[in-house]
């Protein structure tokens, strides 16, 4: 059947119209709020359902990768369609601050959170922490006489040529955290960091749109390995795929996951109630309940024992949100020009 070239574009327009219509309808109803979620639906939905049970407030949400969500919020800032940005690395939120899209709000948990889990003026607050990991397919590693990678340089080994998958920095916050991890282990020497990423490029078969997009191919053996957030990697392992999780001896970054009130939100009071709840033990105690392997940001929430065992002895450092936010666009543009499309 002949398909006109404009049809995909029309389909996208219809989807965009439906999303706008959903939010427009929801905004007229009592006790609702609208959210862009960077967390995938399988993690965001149970959290929002628990919030509705606790508060009576219904959350209407659409899921986007970090870069997409930020681009939409910036494009809509003169007429916001959502009240809250939920989840995703705080480097994304730091970049949004520079665009003036967030409203300062300090929830009751604010003062209790460690400094790196809160913006000084309350323009974002952390709801979780999420370290990066290496994840490799056990069969691939064994067949190639390798061990699970324990150094960044291990990923440069010839058997990894064209078998790694990891996220695309144009759309994914996972990828941005990965790039800033590489910058940190190279002492923020950008030329040295980019030299490494250029050497790694021939070993990457695909840069995926979302941060967890490569986890299933690694699990299935369609890819040999990749770099992912631990929440995605452990979810893959929990589903029964034979994969190994490891950490580089030089260290790897962890990104706080944020939440923020949108400037000009149409449902600000409901939005603040969600932020209060999400930044407290009320939500973060649900991570273990739903087997979601985020590290809780609130100090009163205990780390789930099996997750603690995985993280034991790993060298993990926090990504500097202010540094990453200030340099995000420039570094991503350089990555596109020099690494993705040299």
């Amino acid at each position: 059947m002949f398909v006109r070239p404009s049809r995909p574009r029309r389909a996208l327009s219809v989807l965009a119209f439906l999303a706008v219509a959903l939010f427009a309808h929801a905004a007229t109803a009592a006790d609702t709020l609208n959210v862009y979620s960077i967390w995938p639906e399988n993690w965001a939905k149970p959290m929002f359902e628990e919030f509705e049970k606790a508060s009576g407030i219904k959350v209407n949400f659409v899921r986007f990768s970090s870069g997409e969500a930020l681009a939409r919020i910036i494009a809509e800032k003169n007429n916001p369609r959502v009240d809250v940005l939920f989840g995703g690395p705080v480097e994304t939120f730091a970049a949004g601050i520079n665009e003036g899209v967030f409203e300062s709000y300090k929830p009751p948990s604010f003062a209790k959170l460690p400094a790196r889990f809160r913006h000084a003026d309350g323009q974002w607050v952390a709801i979780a922490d999420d370290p990066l990991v290496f994840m490799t397919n056990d069969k691939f590693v064994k067949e190639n006489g390798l061990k699970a990678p324990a150094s960044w340089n291990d990923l440069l080994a010839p058997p990894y040529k064209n078998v790694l998958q990891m996220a695309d920095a144009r759309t994914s916050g996972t990828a941005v955290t990965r790039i800033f991890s590489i910058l940190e282990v190279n002492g923020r020497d950008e030329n040295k960091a980019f030299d490494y990423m250029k050497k790694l490029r021939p070993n990457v078969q695909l840069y995926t749109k979302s941060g967890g997009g490569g986890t299933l191919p690694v699990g299935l053996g369609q890819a040999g390995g990749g770099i992912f957030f631990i929440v995605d990697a452990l979810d893959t392992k929990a589903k029964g795929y034979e994969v190994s999780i490891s950490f580089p001896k030089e260290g790897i970054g962890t990104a706080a996951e944020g939440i923020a009130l949108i400037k000009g939100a149409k449902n600000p009071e409901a939005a603040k109630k969600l932020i209060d709840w999400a930044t407290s033990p009320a939500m973060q105690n649900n991570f273990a309940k739903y087997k979601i392997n985020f590290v809780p940001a609130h100090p009163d929430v205990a780390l789930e024992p099996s997750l603690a065992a995985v993280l034991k002895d790993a060298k993990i450092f926090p990504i500097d949100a202010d540094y990453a936010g200030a340099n995000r666009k420039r570094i991503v543009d350089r990555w596109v020009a020099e690494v993705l499309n040299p």
Side-chain angles (χ1 to χ4, degrees):
M1 182 178 73
F2 175 73
V3 179
R4 294 176 182 172
S6 61
R7 183 166 180 162
R9 195 171 297 170
R10 284 209 306 272
L12 287 172
S13 298
V14 169
L15 286 173
F17 173 79
L18 289 174
V20 173
L22 169 69
F23 284 152
H25 171 74
T28 65
D31 299 323
T32 63
L33 72 153
N34 302 317
V35 172
Y36 286 151
S37 172
I38 295 172
W39 285 7
E41 185 173 353
N42 59 319
W43 300 331
K45 187 177 180 182
M47 297 300 108
F48 295 147
E49 288 174 345
E50 291 284 353
F51 173 67
E52 185 175 0
K53 287 180 199 173
S55 67
I57 298 170
K58 180 173 175 55
V59 178
N60 301 292
F61 75 98
V62 178
R63 195 269 165 174
F64 294 107
S65 293
S66 299
E68 296 172 307
L70 179 61
R72 282 177 174 270
I73 288 169
I74 293 169
E76 297 163 3
K77 72 178 182 178
N78 293 325
N79 184 25
R81 293 177 181 169
V82 295
D83 308 297
V84 170
L85 178 61
F86 179 90
V90 295
E91 301 94 275
T92 304
F93 291 75
I97 290 171
N98 296 334
E99 301 290 340
V101 296
F102 300 129
E103 190 77 51
S104 294
Y105 176 65
K106 297 179 180 180
S109 294
F110 188 85
K112 201 162 191 180
L113 295 173
R116 80 175 187 92
F117 287 152
R118 51 191 168 93
H119 181 264
D121 294 330
Q123 294 211 33
W124 58 259
V125 185
I127 56 177
D129 203 21
D130 199 8
L132 287 173
V133 301
F134 294 166
M135 187 177 80
T136 45
N137 179 276
D138 290 346
K139 184 179 178 182
F140 169 84
V141 169
K142 184 177 179 180
E143 288 179 347
N144 285 277
L146 300 168
K147 293 181 179 179
S151 166
W152 288 93
N153 287 332
D154 288 348
L155 297 180
L156 301 178
Y160 285 109
K161 186 173 182 180
N162 200 38
V163 299
L164 299 176
Q165 289 197 19
M166 55 194 74
D168 187 326
R170 294 172 297 179
T171 53
S172 170
T174 309
V176 174
T177 304
R178 182 188 74 238
I179 291 170
F180 278 93
S181 292
I182 294 168
L183 280 163
E184 289 297 334
V185 297
N186 285 283
R188 296 191 185 177
D189 182 328
E190 291 185 16
N191 290 332
K192 193 174 176 183
F194 273 88
D195 283 346
Y196 171 81
M197 288 186 277
K198 290 172 190 176
K199 290 176 185 175
L200 184 66
R201 177 68 180 95
N203 290 0
V204 179
Q205 65 175 224
L206 181 66
Y207 288 108
T208 59
K209 181 179 177 181
S210 67
T215 54
L216 181 58
V218 174
L220 293 170
Q222 297 167 351
I227 302 172
F228 309 101
F229 278 135
I230 198 169
V231 68
D232 295 298
L234 286 177
D235 186 55
T236 305
K237 196 173 181 70
K239 289 173 180 173
Y241 295 103
E242 295 184 356
V243 295
S244 292
I245 291 165
S246 59
F247 299 86
K249 63 185 179 182
E250 301 90 348
I252 197 165
T254 185
E257 300 274 323
I259 190 169
L261 176 64
I262 302 298
K263 184 176 285 187
K266 299 189 170 58
N267 304 290
E269 295 311 310
K272 290 175 183 177
K273 289 179 181 177
L274 175 61
I275 295 170
D276 292 348
W277 184 82
T279 55
S280 77
M283 184 184 86
Q284 294 171 39
N285 276 319
N286 285 310
F287 296 163
K289 175 181 176 180
Y290 289 99
K291 296 179 171 56
I292 302 171
N293 287 290
F294 284 117
V295 176
H298 198 287
D300 291 349
V301 182
L303 184 60
E304 199 276 328
S306 63
L307 177 56
V310 174
L311 293 170
K312 185 183 177 186
D313 300 327
K315 185 177 180 181
I316 296 169
F317 52 80
I319 298 298
D320 183 329
D322 292 337
Y323 167 69
N327 292 281
R328 183 181 190 275
K329 185 180 185 306
R330 180 180 62 81
I331 292 293
V332 170
D333 286 347
R334 183 174 177 182
W335 178 82
V336 171
E338 296 184 22
V339 180
L340 182 65
N341 300 312

